[in-house]
């Protein structure tokens, strides 16, 4: 099962994957123009040899943040793996923002506030019901762990 996850996270015995979100590290919204600008930024970073990949993995028992940094195209220089502790999360939700003149291509961001940080990730969804399902899965995972 570990080779099925792009993030490289190994699931515990009996643990079920709810969703694996690949964080959009470059674009700012689902707008095609913003995505194009994000791809250009990503290409420039790739030309210089730097790469970063981020994931939020939500299972039925835990929530994990993973950020992987590479240099010279192949060398893993750093990897940050954080378990989100249920007791540290004060708030979880999503935001919907209009992009491209404020009215086209809404951007949905999953966010959660903890005592030490705030994490926000652009969701790869275009409907509000899809964003709500992801937030509900996040909340269910952290509330089940308490």
């Amino acid at each position: 099962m570990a080779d099925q996850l792009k993030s490289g996270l190994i699931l515990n015995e009996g643990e079920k994957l709810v969703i694996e979100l690949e964080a959009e590290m470059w674009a700012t919204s689902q707008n095609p123009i913003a995505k194009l600008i994000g791809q250009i930024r990503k290409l420039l970073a790739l030309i210089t040899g730097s790469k970063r990949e981020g994931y939020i993995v939500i299972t039925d028992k835990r929530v994990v943040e993973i950020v992987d940094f590479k240099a010279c195209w192949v060398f893993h220089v750093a990897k940050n793996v954080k378990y989100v502790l249920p007791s540290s999360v004060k708030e979880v939700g999503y935001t919907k923002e209009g992009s491209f003149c404020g009215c086209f291509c809404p951007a949905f961001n999953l966010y959660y506030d903890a005592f030490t940080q705030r994490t926000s990730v652009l969701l790869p969804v275009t409907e509000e019901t899809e964003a709500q399902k992801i937030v509900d899965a996040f909340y269910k995972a952290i509330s089940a762990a308490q």
Side-chain angles (χ1 to χ4, degrees):
M1 184 91 173
D3 52 344
Q4 293 178 354
L5 296 180
K6 292 171 72 175
S7 63
L9 181 70
I10 299 170
L11 297 178
N12 294 330
E13 180 130 357
E15 188 174 28
K16 295 177 184 157
L17 178 69
V18 175
I19 190 166
E20 180 181 41
L21 294 171
E22 184 170 359
E24 174 57 64
M25 307 293 269
W26 307 100
T28 56
S29 76
Q30 293 296 334
N31 180 333
I33 295 171
K35 283 184 164 186
L36 177 65
I37 292 170
Q39 290 296 324
I40 292 169
R41 291 176 54 208
K42 185 176 181 177
L43 178 65
L44 291 174
L46 194 59
I47 289 171
T48 62
S50 61
K51 187 175 180 181
R52 61 182 174 165
E53 296 173 336
Y55 298 92
I56 293 183
V57 181
I58 303 172
T59 71
D60 59 344
K61 298 181 181 175
R62 61 186 170 157
V63 176
V64 183
E65 280 185 35
I66 300 169
V67 181
D68 192 15
F69 299 93
K70 293 181 182 175
C72 296
W73 301 281
V74 294
F75 300 111
H76 291 273
V77 294
K79 185 171 189 175
N80 298 335
V81 178
K82 286 194 254 182
Y83 285 63
V84 178
L85 300 176
S87 61
S88 72
V89 177
K90 297 187 292 183
E91 177 179 326
V92 61
Y94 69 92
T95 60
K96 176 183 176 183
E97 297 175 7
S99 60
F100 192 71
C101 299
C103 58
F104 301 113
C105 298
F108 294 95
N109 289 289
L110 166 74
Y111 75 90
Y112 58 92
D113 284 326
F115 288 110
T116 59
Q117 70 180 34
R118 179 179 185 160
T119 299
S120 179
V121 176
L122 179 65
L123 294 173
V125 299
T126 56
E127 297 293 324
E128 194 161 352
T129 56
E130 298 171 56
Q132 182 66 47
K133 286 179 187 176
I134 293 170
V135 170
D136 288 344
F138 188 108
Y139 179 76
K140 186 177 178 182
I142 62 170
S143 64
Q146 287 184 341

